Amino acid sequence: GAVVSQHPSWVICKSGTSVKIECRSLDFQATTMFWYRQFPKQSLMLMATSNEGSKATYEQGVEKDKFLINHASLTLSTLTVTSAHPEDSSFYICSARNSSDEQFFGPGTRLTVL
Amino acid sequence: RKEVEQDPGPFNVPEGATVAFNCTYSNSASQSFFWYRQDCRKEPKLLMSVYSSGNEDGRFTAQLNRASQYISLLIRDSKLSDSATYLCVVNSMEYGNKLVFGAGTILRVKS
């Protein structure tokens, strides 16, 4: 199946710093990528839909100025958590959708904010 | 009401047992249905799509009841390696062609 990578796989940072997470589709082009967040024992919650060459669409309650999304190419989307705080600690997962409408998930990034 | 609801479990079963999970969804216009498997601290992986006629993949059988807005997953001859969280997932153009995840059902298969 298709491969989606994420980098870094885990990150620990101090409160107030910004963290950038990359999501890449390695063997297909993805006009649409999605960013999810998952807290312990909870379901994946969609944060935003990232469209190549245009602005991301954020879900209700997700601050677009705090979670900056850039989808500059058909194989790369980035999520930047700005001024991270401990409550932002979570498992961030991206997915990429191919031309057949199938969605493939990256391995996730575990963020811990101290 | 949650868009996709599942019994969180956990379901604790012995090896070789048959176990069934259920899921209900609230949007009658939902079009696509899936079961994903998620292992601890890992990303979800597609287990199988769910079709109206029901479908089977080895030990796994999925069924869809559109009238009751209900999806099921049956696992026969459970293996230790089946231990995971099973996520019921729904897609609808009304959701903007986005996947909506249930919170998952935990399965623990014991020897």
Side-chain angles (χ1 to χ4, degrees):
Chain A
V3 179
V4 176
S5 71
Q6 268 184 253
H7 178 81
S9 55
W10 59 270
V11 58
I12 301 173
C13 68
K14 291 183 179 179
S15 186
T17 59
S18 294
V19 175
K20 180 189 277 190
I21 303 170
E22 291 186 350
C23 177
R24 293 181 187 272
S25 56
L26 298 184
D27 52 0
F28 68 100
Q29 294 184 328
T31 54
T32 304
M33 291 184 172
F34 302 89
W35 286 97
Y36 296 84
R37 181 167 55 180
Q38 186 177 33
F39 292 106
K41 299 186 180 180
Q42 296 186 25
S43 62
L44 272 74
M45 296 300 296
L46 180 64
M47 298 174 67
T49 302
S50 171
N51 300 298
E52 188 266 336
S54 65
K55 290 182 179 179
T57 304
Y58 289 81
E59 296 300 301
Q60 194 172 13
V62 178
E63 299 174 58
K64 61 179 173 61
D65 294 329
K66 180 171 179 63
F67 298 99
L68 302 178
I69 291 173
N70 185 283
H71 193 157
S73 78
L74 287 171
T75 59
L76 173 64
S77 176
T78 61
L79 168 69
T80 301
V81 183
T82 62
S83 186
H85 287 94
E87 58 265 29
D88 298 323
S89 299
S90 188
F91 190 44
Y92 291 85
I93 307 175
C94 74
S95 71
R97 188 163 66 197
N98 67 8
S99 55
S100 301
D101 239 15
E102 298 168 312
Q103 230 174 296
F104 300 93
F105 286 84
T109 297
R110 194 160 299 279
L111 170 64
T112 301
V113 184
L114 302 176
Chain B
R1 183 186 171 189
K2 291 181 184 176
E3 292 174 44
V4 180
E5 293 207 57
Q6 296 180 247
D7 179 347
F11 285 60
N12 296 302
V13 303
E15 270 187 293
T18 295
V19 61
F21 306 138
N22 302 318
C23 165
T24 57
Y25 60 95
S26 61
N27 188 339
S28 60
S30 298
Q31 297 159 307
S32 305
F33 309 89
F34 310 91
W35 282 102
Y36 277 74
R37 170 194 169 127
Q38 187 174 25
D39 291 286
C40 189
R41 305 174 87 83
K42 300 281 188 181
E43 79 277 21
K45 294 189 176 175
L46 179 64
L47 180 65
M48 59 196 303
S49 301
V50 187
Y51 303 115
S52 298
S53 54
N55 48 300
E56 188 175 307
D57 183 1
R59 298 181 293 109
F60 299 86
T61 301
Q63 293 203 312
L64 168 65
N65 184 322
R66 286 188 183 270
S68 303
Q69 294 179 205
Y70 168 98
I71 306 160
S72 66
L73 176 68
L74 182 78
I75 305 176
R76 290 181 299 278
D77 189 23
S78 299
K79 312 290 185 192
L80 293 175
S81 57
D82 293 333
S83 298
T85 297
Y86 290 83
L87 306 173
C88 177
V89 184
V90 172
N91 190 10
S92 167
M93 292 306 291
E94 287 196 12
Y95 294 143
N97 199 15
K98 297 177 288 192
L99 298 180
V100 179
F101 286 79
T105 298
I106 298 171
L107 173 64
R108 297 183 186 139
V109 182
K110 299 184 183 298
S111 58

